[in-house]
Amino acid sequence: MSLALAPLDVSVDVEANLPCRKFDPDLWFSDSPAQLELAKSLCGDCPLRVECLAGAVERNEPWGVWGGEIFERGAVVPRKRPRGRPRKVDVARDAELKVEVEERLAASGLERNAVRLAA
């Protein structure tokens, strides 16, 4: 059984209470925007967050929450939109969230051109 989904920092105990190991793994791959936001928030204090995000970028993960970011079709998206046509306020909010995602990625040490951001 492999516990590593991303390169592990050897200084972190493998038996640590990682959120993706404590909660239902389906939460990180949900279709529900609310559940994906919950998964993102649980990743916030994870000691492997940066490694997880870097590994997901390197592997070009097609979907799910990795390192506190939502991946969809291999790109980082600020939030998962519900089905249907987005409201104008949601489009404006998406633009703000895209800037926030870019700032978080930069703070994690990932180059912007290394990560594909969804439009």
Side-chain angles (χ1 to χ4, degrees):
M1 176 172 117
S2 173
L3 293 177
L5 295 177
L8 285 177
D9 180 352
V10 292
S11 66
V12 175
D13 184 11
V14 175
E15 298 297 320
N17 288 326
L18 304 176
C20 56
R21 304 290 190 245
K22 286 174 40 177
F23 296 93
D24 182 6
D26 290 339
L27 182 64
W28 277 260
F29 300 97
S30 175
D31 286 329
S32 164
Q35 288 183 340
L36 291 176
E37 290 299 322
L38 174 59
K40 280 175 55 175
S41 70
L42 291 172
C43 291
D45 294 329
C46 180
L48 297 178
R49 186 182 64 76
V50 173
E51 292 88 352
C52 179
L53 179 58
V57 168
E58 184 179 312
R59 290 186 308 275
N60 221 9
E61 283 293 339
W63 66 297
V65 174
W66 298 90
E69 300 295 341
I70 298 174
F71 283 75
E72 190 170 294
R73 295 184 194 105
V76 174
V77 295
R79 69 181 182 90
K80 178 156 176 102
R81 288 188 233 163
R83 297 182 81 167
R85 185 179 183 143
R87 297 178 179 180
K88 289 180 183 178
V89 294
D90 289 340
V91 172
R93 183 166 183 257
D94 284 349
E96 293 173 6
L97 288 173
K98 184 176 180 179
V99 171
E100 184 180 319
V101 166
E102 289 176 356
E103 290 171 354
R104 284 197 310 262
L105 290 171
S108 296
L110 295 171
E111 296 177 18
R112 180 178 176 195
N113 53 358
V115 180
R116 199 177 93 207
L117 296 175

